[in-house]
Amino acid sequence: MRPRCSTAILPPALLGDSAAVRQIRTILERPAPSPILLLVEEGLEAADVARYVHDCTRGGQAFVRADCGRPDADGLAIELFGVRGRAAATLETLGPGAALLKAGRGTVFLDNLNELPAALQRRLARVLRDGEVCVGGRERTPLEARVIAAAPPSIAADAADGRFRPELLRRFAATPAAIPSLRARAGDVAAIVNRLAADLAAAAGRPVPRFTPAALTMLAALPWTGNVDELRATLQGALARVEDGVIRQEDLLPGVPFEGIVRRLAPAVSLREARRRFEREYIASVLERHGWRMSEAARTLGIERANLYRKTRELGIQRYAPGGRGDS
């Protein structure tokens, strides 16, 4: 789980030891000069990931962040390029206050790249293509800053449909980096939970809580459509409810994102039905994790084995996979 660049702190979105997250860390920690595009779902904290990449590859240099989604197009043009949209003699001309120059040999992080206006996309594509700029009418000079951008995974479809300039997307084609979602790596959730809980406890001036195995199993089973942000909010609510420093299943249930489960399972069901469906999926996942050994699954769930048998009958949970029967 330790990063190769030991001076940098892994953000929660990159914690864990799954093959997916190990592979993406290898890509991000590589000291390459080429621009890199982070493909991130909502809630994966792109800015923290970009900062980690910067600390690994250009630590000690400037880190300049710009939000491409800001509504003021002229203001964004001045922020990025130091000139208004039509004030430059050429696309590669930058003003002295441009973010691409302020970063020096450091990093420029462009958040929400997919929202960059088309005219500025064209200008950025030209700068990245040439790797050099003209400042104040003087001779061309190499662009020394590395550009890291973040966008949702749908940006490729946007380029194919004409909603994003493909020539700019091509400038990042050598190093696209898709940050894996939490639902794609349930085995990493425990490590992320422990980090988030420690951070929340420190901010509240409280001891770091412990999690029961049943609580961790439940957290790993949830879809987390809002990824790290949603998980943090759930843990923050649970931490406020406990007093003995131990977080159990029942402490988490009031903050479980049942609405997201409802959206995933059906267009409209009652909260009672949503809870029933979640309980069914959750118990089935615990049983599968324990190879349908009822005693072990009951211990993880924190219930008696007889109650687990009753629950499986009530919820209609059956083992369809081939193999032996659960223990008795």
Side-chain angles (χ1 to χ4, degrees), residues 22-44:
R22 288 201 309 270
Q23 181 180 20
I24 199 64
R25 285 203 302 258
T26 298
I27 294 171
L28 297 179
E29 294 166 2
R30 190 178 299 142
S34 56
I36 188 168
L37 177 61
L38 306 175
L39 300 177
V40 290
E41 291 186 2
E42 181 182 357
L44 282 175

Side-chain angles (χ1 to χ4, degrees), residues 7-319:
T7 57
I9 299 175
L10 277 168
L14 296 179
L15 284 172
D17 200 37
S18 65
V21 81
R22 288 201 309 270
Q23 181 180 20
I24 199 64
R25 285 203 302 258
T26 298
I27 294 171
L28 297 179
E29 294 166 2
R30 190 178 299 142
S34 56
I36 188 168
L37 177 61
L38 306 175
L39 300 177
V40 290
E41 291 186 2
E42 181 182 357
L44 282 175
E45 303 178 318
D48 290 345
V49 175
R51 186 72 201 214
Y52 175 76
V53 177
H54 168 77
D55 290 343
C56 282
T57 59
R58 302 205 173 191
Q61 302 294 329
F63 180 83
V64 179
R65 177 180 179 180
D67 184 359
C68 298
R70 61 179 288 183
D72 178 10
D74 279 343
L76 181 58
I78 293 171
E79 181 181 7
L80 292 180
F81 304 104
V83 290
R84 292 182 183 274
R86 298 181 181 179
T90 65
L91 292 177
E92 302 90 345
T93 298
L94 301 186
L100 292 165
L101 296 177
K102 284 182 179 179
R105 296 182 177 179
T107 299
V108 177
F109 171 53
L110 304 179
D111 204 359
N112 301 306
L113 181 69
N114 54 304
E115 298 183 27
L116 188 67
L120 302 187
Q121 290 179 32
R122 181 167 174 254
R123 173 169 286 172
L124 180 61
R126 179 71 65 86
V127 169
L128 295 180
R129 186 197 71 181
D130 296 347
E132 58 182 20
V133 295
C134 180
V135 184
R138 299 195 300 269
E139 294 183 0
R140 290 174 176 264
T141 182
L143 179 67
E144 296 182 303
R146 186 188 193 189
V147 175
I148 299 175
S154 59
I155 192 170
D158 291 342
D161 292 343
R163 295 189 298 271
F164 189 84
R165 298 189 76 96
E167 67 267 30
L168 177 54
L169 190 59
R170 285 197 295 270
R171 302 280 73 81
F172 295 95
T175 49
I179 309 303
S181 64
L182 266 59
R183 66 182 175 278
R185 48 190 181 107
D188 294 336
V189 169
I192 298 170
V193 164
N194 288 328
R195 162 69 72 78
L196 294 177
D199 291 346
L200 290 169
R206 299 179 57 177
V208 178
R210 292 189 302 106
F211 291 82
T212 65
L216 288 175
T217 300
M218 187 182 80
L219 289 170
L222 288 165
W224 300 119
T225 55
N227 290 294
V228 173
D229 286 350
E230 187 178 38
L231 177 56
R232 179 186 287 107
T234 297
L235 296 178
Q236 190 168 24
L239 191 62
R241 286 187 287 271
V242 301
E243 296 181 357
D244 61 357
V246 179
I247 295 180
R248 304 172 179 84
Q249 273 184 331
E250 53 267 32
D251 301 316
L252 294 165
L253 284 172
V256 166
F258 287 108
E259 292 79 4
I261 297 172
V262 171
R263 286 194 298 270
R264 185 165 60 97
L265 295 177
V269 296
S270 68
L271 182 59
R272 180 179 180 181
E273 175 63 14
R275 289 178 182 273
R276 183 181 182 278
R277 292 187 184 192
F278 167 72
E279 188 176 23
R280 186 180 189 280
E281 284 195 4
Y282 173 56
I283 291 176
S285 71
V286 173
L287 285 165
E288 289 170 4
R289 181 167 298 186
H290 287 288
W292 289 79
R293 292 182 291 274
M294 302 295 281
S295 296
E296 294 179 15
R299 280 194 294 271
T300 295
L301 291 165
I303 62 177
E304 296 294 330
R305 188 176 60 179
N307 290 338
L308 178 55
Y309 277 111
R310 178 177 56 80
K311 281 285 188 183
T312 58
R313 288 194 299 270
E314 289 177 353
L315 297 170
I317 300 171
Q318 299 181 33
R319 183 180 184 183

